Amino acid sequence: MSIAKVIVDVPAKQINQTFDYTIPARLEHVIVPGMRVTVPFGPRKIMGFVIELTSTSSHTKLKEIVDVLDLTPVLTEELVRLGQWLAKDTVSLYITAFQVMLPQALKSHYKKELVRLAEELDPIMESLFAGRDFITYEEFSESKVRYQELIKAVKDGDIEIEYLVKSRITRKFETMIKPGMADYLLEEAYNDMSKKAKKQRELLSYFIQHNEAIPKKKLMDKVNTSASTIKSLLDKKLLVSTKIEVYRNPYDDATIVQTSPLSLTTEQTDAIKPIKQSIENNTHDVFLLHGVTGSGKTEVYLQAISDVIKKGKEAVVLVPEISLTPQMVHRFKGRFGSDVAVMHSALSSGEKYDEWRKIYQKEVKVVVGARSAVFAPFENLGIIIIDEEHETSYKQEDQPRYHARDVAIERGKNHQCPVILGSATPTLETFARAQKGVYKLATLSKRTNEKAMPEVEIVDMRNELHEGNRTMFSRRLKEKIELCIEKKEQIVLLLNRRGYSTFVMCRDCGHVKECPHCDIALTYHKNSNRLKCHYCSYEEPMPTICPECSSDLIRYFGTGTQRVEEALAQLIPEARVIRMDVDTTRRKGAHEKLLNQFGKGEADILLGTQMIAKGLDFENVTLVGVLTADSMLHLPDFRSSEKTFQLLTQVSGRAGRHELPGEVIVQTYTPDHYSIELASTYNFPDFYQKEMAMRKAFHYPPYVFLTLVTVSHPNQVKVVQTTQKIVQALLKSVKEETVILGPTPSPMARIKDRYRYQCMVKYKNEPGLRDIIQNILNQFESDIRKDDLLISVDMQPYQMM
Ligand code: ADP
Ligand code: ZN
Ligand code: ZN
């Protein structure tokens, strides 16, 4: 086994392959799969992952591995396999699949150094080096020395450029002080010590009483001593200092109240039974836990995890980034204490690294985290839970474009353990699988507090307009807000803003321009003043009057939270408003701070975008208002009805969670749209039926699979030609019933001066599609490497942009 197969860190290289390197004698038996190494690659030294050891290679003249970056593998055996599966499944580079599993701190970056080879350098170079043997590349680039001079020096063999692979690991250490010898020796020393050395004697007497290590800082506080006194005793070897690693703890554990398992309701008992069986028998099954908000899903998770821990196994819990609030973390820490690690994107890179290492070193049993926590390096997984499984944040939108659900299920198979998908509004894909018996369905239909869901009232905004109210607040909503403030209760206002100003709607009759072939809203392209369908390339000019009612009030939409806030201030001047959107929550911790303020009653109204719809639980909120329920409905996205239904259901759940009854007002221009009607009665089954019929009629998932290929390049002709070639190549290889739409411009047709085109594959069964696409990508390899061409492949597109 003297040869290692290595995945090298060359992301520009489209061809997905391993490279063979020999293992030098000094690293024999050190190198194992999952380790990161430094290898020569062309003129450079770069980082790579060892994925396999072997004794033969089909290549001759192999280069040698230079060094190891880790002394123990950072990837477990299973993760090495999972990475290869992930790369294939998402048609991504192996290197990106491995990188995504590791915390940022472990992603190496390269540092260059100039190294002196000659005794004597040219005067210009000598002045730069100033007698030293090597300098950093930055020193050179910041100096006045010209590039040509450096090239000449390198050519002459005076100087060499070295690439250093450097890990960005930033561990935190703490200095500990402890006695350096046995008790009685300390006492002897104490007695021998001059009475004048008062400070030293004090310090020594402390250690005679407390024979244990203590952090240096704490010691200085406690004994009221100085660093120099400590040093004197260190020098006399009476004390010794050591460094131990400390973990940064982003959560204040002191405030966490311990909880114990609740006795389950009948519904919960029925739901958890097959899950417990699956844990007990080590079998892999996927469960859909379909339960309204407040039905006790989390309690089911907690008790299932408890079983897993009892078996000596580990648990992964995924929650959407936005609902990974302290409230949520406390529920898990309250039950499992210090056995819980938290992976949250708001943590600093060092904090993330610490949490990762707690898992890696098996110091915790449970990880609660956002999407990437699905790669937690546990080796003995007993359960994976995905809460709010319908959330699109589980899909990564960069390479590797994976969905955490797929990864969870793959790991569930690897470990023979159950995977639980929980939601009040599951995706159609998931619910359809549960209906077919592919997943096992468990339903929680009642809230544990037996309270009904809040009443939803739909307000038709077209009527408001006809009666002369041109503001964005209906009279009904205004009245309710004022009443609420009077009673000193609180209000959540949702501005459903995603995708604004892209669709065109008549403000008189609510008519929205849709594609005649796709049943999808047309996208307004401002530059050309035309409407386009980005699924099938249909287009038409922007109308000046409504084709339905001839009103000239047809226009595209645009309203931001800031404008709503201003309007609100005019309409109800006494209302205190907290605005929460991407602008006000950009700074770290801002999100939490605003919510805390609202929780403490420092405002009457919480106004915000999607981010306020999830997970919030405030006792005093009795009114939820949705300003424009339909703004998402007409996005060029076949999931827009589903997303609207999910959002409305979710935001309605924010009201009346406790003693006070809640109420919801939904403003819309399309009050009879089924997703709005059915969300207002919390009718998931009917919504599912209706939406499935639409998907079937228009050939969308879950009836077919989709793959989106997007091409981008600064030259438009090149983009069109390349996309055309890809379509041709696909047509040659796929089955006859498979449909290929495009080439067509992406809805975001130009980003950062790069033109974008796309094509969409719609298929029922194409087992070879990934290989076909990989082959096509390989054909463009040199253009991708040399000519700045980008081709991105999304095997499960959620963002059609
Ligand atoms: P979900 O996750 O479905 O929204 P939660 O697990 O948050 O629901 O439960 C809602 C509330 O009901 C919580 O306050 C929880 O403590 C409580 N709860 C859950 N299960 C039970 C039970 N078996 N008995 C009493 N209260 C429960
Ligand atoms: Zn009209
Ligand atoms: Zn169309």
Side-chain angles (χ1 to χ4, degrees), residues 515-520 522 532-538:
C515 175
H517 308 292
C518 303
D519 192 44
I520 282 234
L522 291 170
K532 295 182 186 176
C533 169
H534 84 279
Y535 281 96
C536 72
S537 315
Y538 170 85

Side-chain angles (χ1 to χ4, degrees), residues 211-226:
N211 191 0
E212 60 190 13
I214 176 170
K216 187 174 172 183
K217 275 198 209 114
K218 207 166 157 190
L219 178 67
M220 287 164 68
D221 266 5
K222 222 171 167 169
V223 192
N224 189 23
T225 191
S226 67

Side-chain angles (χ1 to χ4, degrees), residues 523-776:
T523 305
Y524 176 64
H525 285 241
K526 199 166 182 177
N527 293 341
S528 55
N529 200 35
R530 290 173 77 80
L531 301 176
K532 295 182 186 176
C533 169
H534 84 279
Y535 281 96
C536 72
S537 315
Y538 170 85
E539 60 176 273
E540 63 179 51
M542 168 76 188
T544 47
I545 55 163
C546 173
E548 284 296 307
C549 75
S550 302
S551 158
D552 60 357
L553 281 176
I554 185 158
R555 51 201 53 157
Y556 65 92
F557 258 60
T559 314
T561 38
Q562 208 165 349
R563 262 194 59 204
V564 178
E565 193 182 12
E566 287 159 17
L568 201 53
Q570 276 187 351
L571 201 66
I572 313 172
E574 71 272 20
R576 297 168 302 160
V577 181
I578 288 180
R579 175 162 66 93
M580 218 163 94
D581 56 22
V582 280
D583 295 328
T584 62
T585 55
R586 201 167 282 132
R587 272 204 354 270
K588 191 183 157 186
H591 183 246
E592 248 181 84
K593 204 172 133 208
L594 293 176
L595 290 181
N596 275 338
Q597 285 173 357
F598 187 65
K600 280 190 275 174
E602 290 172 22
D604 307 301
I605 300 178
L606 179 66
L607 163 69
T609 50
Q610 268 79 355
M611 65 173 73
I612 63 168
K614 278 147 214 156
L616 308 184
D617 191 352
F618 294 109
E619 270 180 59
N620 200 31
V621 171
T622 54
L623 176 64
V624 165
V626 179
L627 291 176
T628 42
D630 30 17
S631 67
M632 205 158 49
L633 221 38
H634 311 295
L635 285 183
D637 180 349
F638 68 89
R639 289 192 179 88
S640 61
S641 300
E642 183 182 357
K643 287 179 181 164
T644 300
F645 181 85
Q646 288 163 350
L647 184 70
L648 292 181
T649 308
Q650 204 143 36
V651 74
S652 301
R654 296 309 113 211
R657 290 177 70 87
H658 298 268
E659 288 313 307
L660 301 166
E663 235 184 318
V664 182
I665 304 249
V666 171
Q667 301 189 155
T668 172
Y669 290 93
T670 43
D672 359 289
H673 192 284
Y674 61 97
S675 69
I676 292 174
E677 253 179 358
L678 294 171
S680 74
T681 50
Y682 305 95
N683 190 342
F684 180 81
D686 283 4
F687 174 76
Y688 172 76
Q689 295 299 341
K690 180 95 190 161
E691 184 63 14
M692 283 296 270
M694 301 292 275
R695 300 284 178 93
K696 190 171 187 186
F698 291 101
H699 304 286
Y700 282 119
Y703 290 96
V704 297
F705 295 102
L706 297 180
T707 292
L708 179 69
V709 180
T710 306
V711 179
S712 82
H713 189 271
N715 180 331
Q716 190 170 17
V717 177
K718 172 127 192 155
V719 176
V720 179
Q721 281 174 348
T722 307
T723 319
Q724 189 70 54
K725 279 185 207 155
I726 291 172
V727 170
Q728 300 288 314
L730 281 169
L731 281 172
K732 247 184 258 161
S733 314
V734 297
K735 293 184 183 161
E736 212 166 302
E737 72 262 23
T738 295
V739 176
I740 297 173
L741 302 171
T744 157
S746 298
M748 303 282 284
R750 195 168 71 143
I751 297 178
K752 286 185 185 165
D753 291 321
R754 298 179 68 91
Y755 290 89
R756 303 169 83 238
Y757 261 67
Q758 64 184 32
C759 64
M760 180 84 85
V761 188
K762 270 187 174 183
Y763 58 102
K764 270 196 185 327
N765 182 22
E766 284 287 354
L769 185 63
R770 287 169 172 81
D771 289 335
I772 293 168
I773 293 175
Q774 186 64 60
N775 280 336
I776 295 173

Side-chain angles (χ1 to χ4, degrees), residues 419-437:
V419 172
I420 320 291
L421 310 175
S423 176
T425 51
T427 57
L428 290 215
E429 284 90 336
T430 295
F431 202 77
R433 282 186 194 130
Q435 293 282 307
K436 275 172 76 177

Side-chain angles (χ1 to χ4, degrees), residues 262-265 268 292-299 331 448:
L262 302 168
S263 87
L264 297 179
T265 64
Q268 283 172 322
V292 295
T293 24
S295 61
K297 294 187 291 296
T298 312
E299 186 61 31
R331 293 189 72 178
T448 55

